[in-house]
Amino acid sequence: QVQLVESGGGLVQAGDSLRLSCAASTRTFSIYAMGWFRQAPGKEREFVAAMRWRGGSTDYADSVKGRFTISRDNAKNTVYLQMNSLKPEDTAVYYCAANLKIIATMKGPYDYWGQGTQVTVSS
C-alpha cells in the first residue's frame, strides 16, 4: 500500500505561481512512476505531468508544457509540481498518483491516489 498526501494548493491570481507537494508513505525506490492529474468542476480528470522515478524522464500535458515542472526529492519521498504563469483554466482539484508497476505510458493507469488539493486561479 502507498499513501499519498498532497499539499500546497490555494487561491492565487492569474500569472502567479504555486508549488504542490506530494509525500509518499513508501520508499520511493519501490515506485515506478508518480504523476499529477487534475479535475475541474463538471469535467473529467485529466493528466497533467508525470515522472519515472528511475531515470527521471518526464511527460507533460500540452496545456501545461513550459509552465509546469515536475520534480522529486528522493530523501523526502516527495514529488513536486511547480506551477508558473497560472491561468484561470488551471483551476481544479489536483491529485497526486503513484504506481509500483511498470506502465507503458506515464499517463497511466495509476494504482494509488491522494486526496486532492484545490487550486483556484482568479482572473
Side-chain angles (χ1 to χ4, degrees), residues 10-45:
L11 171 63
V12 296
Q13 293 186 332
D16 285 351
S17 298
L18 272 179
R19 189 177 79 159
L20 305 183
S21 301
C22 174
S25 64
T26 189
R27 293 285 186 92
T28 50
F29 63 74
S30 65
I31 292 176
Y32 177 76
M34 291 186 73
W36 288 96
F37 292 74
R38 66 187 182 187
Q39 187 166 20
K43 295 187 177 182
E44 293 187 353
R45 187 169 58 193

Side-chain angles (χ1 to χ4, degrees), residues 16-99:
D16 285 351
S17 298
L18 272 179
R19 189 177 79 159
L20 305 183
S21 301
C22 174
S25 64
T26 189
R27 293 285 186 92
T28 50
F29 63 74
S30 65
I31 292 176
Y32 177 76
M34 291 186 73
W36 288 96
F37 292 74
R38 66 187 182 187
Q39 187 166 20
K43 295 187 177 182
E44 293 187 353
R45 187 169 58 193
E46 64 174 0
F47 169 79
V48 175
M51 170 182 280
R52 282 194 180 92
W53 213 258
R54 296 184 184 181
S57 58
T58 58
D59 192 13
Y60 294 92
D62 289 342
S63 59
V64 306
K65 280 181 183 177
R67 300 189 298 123
F68 291 11
T69 303
I70 188 170
S71 63
R72 66 175 187 254
D73 185 329
N74 289 347
K76 296 182 178 180
N77 296 341
T78 298
V79 66
Y80 303 98
L81 185 68
Q82 178 66 44
M83 304 185 294
N84 298 329
S85 303
L86 283 161
K87 304 176 181 180
E89 50 264 44
D90 294 319
T91 295
V93 177
Y94 283 71
Y95 296 92
C96 175
N99 214 331

